[in-house]
Amino acid sequence: MRKMRWTMDGAGGGGFWELDMSTPATLEGQARPVPGLGDPVPLPLGLSRGTRLSRPKQVDFLQRFMAAPFVPAFSAASDGLSLQRVLTIPFSQNWFATLLGQFNLQKFVYSLKQSGGESSGLRKFAHLLRDKSLYALGLYSEILLTPEATLLLGGDAYGDSNNTIRKKTVYHHKFPHHSLTMEATWPSLFVDKSGSYWDVPFTMAVDLASVGSDSNGTSYHLCMHHNSGMPKQFFGGENKSAVTAPAALLPGFSLKSAFLFKKNVDIWRSNAQKLRMVQPFDIFLSNPHISASGIIGAAVTASFGDIAVKSLAECDFEHYKGIHFSAPAVKSAFIADAFSSLSFTAQHGNFQRLLLDLTRLQTRLDFPSGSKFLSGAAHLTLELLNSKQPTIEAVQAICPNVTVSLQQQIAGPFSFRVDSGVAVNLKSRDWRIGVENPVFAIEYALQVLGSAKAVAWYSPKQQEFMVELRFFET
């Protein structure tokens, strides 16, 4: 829904459209958020990535240009610390394949300690290395059909018997003003709001997004999504008590569209000259400024099948104020609502000097349900006009979803970043404001590329660590 995507910076509706989330739980390195019909929750800024920057491409770049023999990844759900390495096989100028291998280092060290007295020397070492559960292997083939169209075929196989082979086919076409993506995955990995992972046996999606030449103005996003087979909880799910699969993952077909208008405003922008003959570490982070952006739009979802019946029960339409229609006899539902978002960004420093030359703060306020906000505001206004004490429910209804990001240069191209949601719970007497799903990261700006970075991030809630690349996607 935006021209450029950089971990949801300056999001153009990112809080209202599901973006893939990076995760080391699988070899492919990504999971899709469970679609929401009524009140979607924005994902943490640092966990989203561009659609065309696959995990094999990231590992290949780190090996070739950053001299990384292995790329580490950690997932408490997948037996700990693993090392990844890729082999690229160019068949022709427009066709190449990548072989991505993963070795579970933590499990190997644990097995080595457990078998300390059984044998010695190279024999014990070689015997443990033959354990298939230590390995995972992914084969991906990318074909450049035309300068604007690419086809990706891939599959992951795991030595652990608890994992099945994951297969994926993605077709991407870039039009002058639109971007089309068609994808089929079996099984497909999803993550819900509690952080639990779910496998859907087969999913297919067709996604069309407008791509404008300016960050201001209107844009739209259309998606068709189909689920087949009953979902089951992935072994890496954190919340083991979540035995009931989310309704949005049940078998069925859904159509979703979103239309929005975005406006950017520069409150202040520095006109001071930069250091001469010194290239900024990141050209997109080289201008001190204070800016704001606003988004207003509407989203419409039509669903058919089991996904519609169960989703109706989850949305609780007795209290839902948006436009909705349901026909349980034919297993169909229709939901429409408005949304809005406000973002504020303040930056100090040009990111040119070696020490403390970049401080960047971004805050985003998301109102995912316009009907819920207007209903709460109306109740709150009536209570104040009647000299009544406002109810907690009315105040809570107008509170937005808040996401905060802080980035601070440490030295040279290295900077520290923390992204987190802010939970406001007015019903609690102790702590009414708390941190929700923080993500901590060390970023290394790749100065020679103008604007790109290597990111090492850690999520305490998911207990996951990953080293990734981030590029602007145009």
Side-chain angles (χ1 to χ4, degrees), residues 268-278 280 286-288 349-353 357:
W268 169 82
R269 187 168 292 272
S270 174
N271 295 321
Q273 293 185 351
K274 299 181 178 67
L275 296 177
R276 295 183 177 180
M277 306 301 292
V278 178
S286 61
N287 293 311
N350 297 315
F351 208 15
Q352 286 183 297
R353 296 178 172 84
D357 193 30

Side-chain angles (χ1 to χ4, degrees), residues 12-76:
F16 313 100
W17 200 271
E18 295 81 15
L19 297 175
D20 289 343
M21 185 182 77
S22 295
T23 173
T26 62
L27 190 61
E28 184 190 16
Q30 69 180 31
R32 303 184 67 176
V34 175
L37 288 177
D39 188 18
V41 177
L43 292 173
L45 302 181
L47 291 188
S48 61
R49 75 177 185 212
T51 56
R52 286 172 288 169
L53 187 59
S54 64
R55 185 60 179 168
K57 288 182 179 179
Q58 295 183 44
V59 178
D60 182 65
F61 184 93
L62 291 169
Q63 289 179 192
R64 288 174 179 267
F65 303 103
M66 300 189 69
F70 299 97
V71 179
F74 174 83
S75 174

Side-chain angles (χ1 to χ4, degrees), residues 147-428:
E148 295 80 21
T150 58
L151 177 65
L152 173 65
L153 307 173
D156 301 338
Y158 301 83
D160 193 333
S161 59
N162 293 328
N163 284 286
T164 58
I165 298 178
R166 297 179 177 273
K167 298 172 283 291
K168 188 174 187 178
T169 301
V170 182
Y171 172 78
H172 181 82
H173 194 113
K174 182 180 178 182
F175 295 97
H177 301 290
H178 294 84
S179 177
L180 173 67
T181 301
M182 295 187 292
E183 178 179 337
T185 309
W186 61 101
S188 183
L189 185 66
F190 287 82
V191 58
D192 62 21
K193 296 179 182 180
S194 68
S196 296
Y197 292 109
W198 296 88
D199 265 336
V200 177
F202 177 81
T203 64
M204 184 171 58
V206 179
D207 194 288
L208 178 66
S210 64
V211 180
S213 59
D214 193 352
S215 57
N216 290 318
T218 59
S219 60
Y220 58 88
H221 201 147
L222 308 174
C223 181
M224 294 184 294
H225 187 87
H226 171 68
N227 292 338
S228 178
M230 294 301 297
K232 62 179 181 178
Q233 192 171 19
F234 181 63
F235 77 93
E238 175 190 321
N239 187 1
K240 298 298 182 181
S241 62
V243 295
T244 303
L249 302 184
L250 295 177
F253 178 79
S254 64
L255 297 170
K256 186 173 182 180
S257 62
F259 302 85
L260 63 89
F261 174 81
K262 181 178 181 180
K263 179 65 175 179
N264 294 323
V265 177
D266 275 344
I267 301 174
W268 169 82
R269 187 168 292 272
S270 174
N271 295 321
Q273 293 185 351
K274 299 181 178 67
L275 296 177
R276 295 183 177 180
M277 306 301 292
V278 178
Q279 180 183 355
F281 294 105
D282 190 316
I283 59 174
F284 286 99
L285 299 177
S286 61
N287 293 311
H289 68 280
I290 300 175
S291 62
S293 65
I295 295 170
I296 185 169
V300 178
T301 301
S303 53
F304 309 89
D306 293 340
I307 183 177
V309 177
K310 296 294 184 180
S311 296
L312 293 176
E314 284 192 358
C315 282
D316 188 10
F317 283 121
E318 293 182 0
H319 302 92
Y320 183 72
K321 305 300 180 181
I323 301 174
H324 62 275
F325 169 78
S326 62
V330 294
K331 295 185 177 181
S332 62
F334 175 87
I335 301 175
D337 205 348
F339 60 83
S340 63
S341 177
L342 293 174
S343 297
F344 301 92
T345 303
Q347 177 179 319
H348 172 73
N350 297 315
F351 208 15
Q352 286 183 297
R353 296 178 172 84
L354 294 179
L355 295 173
L356 307 178
D357 193 30
L358 174 67
T359 302
R360 181 180 173 89
L361 174 66
Q362 184 182 28
T363 302
R364 194 175 74 242
L365 310 177
D366 293 325
F367 300 87
S369 175
S371 60
K372 180 180 177 181
F373 175 82
L374 292 176
S375 177
H379 280 83
L380 185 61
T381 302
L382 289 176
E383 290 169 350
L384 293 176
L385 291 176
N386 295 327
S387 300
K388 295 181 180 180
Q389 183 177 0
T391 61
I392 295 178
E393 290 76 11
V395 177
Q396 189 81 51
I398 65 174
C399 291
N401 297 326
V402 183
T403 309
V404 177
S405 174
L406 175 64
Q407 183 176 358
Q408 175 63 58
Q409 181 192 19
I410 302 174
F414 291 94
S415 62
F416 172 77
R417 175 167 173 164
V418 57
D419 301 335
S420 176
V422 178
V424 180
N425 185 6
L426 300 179
K427 298 180 181 180
S428 174

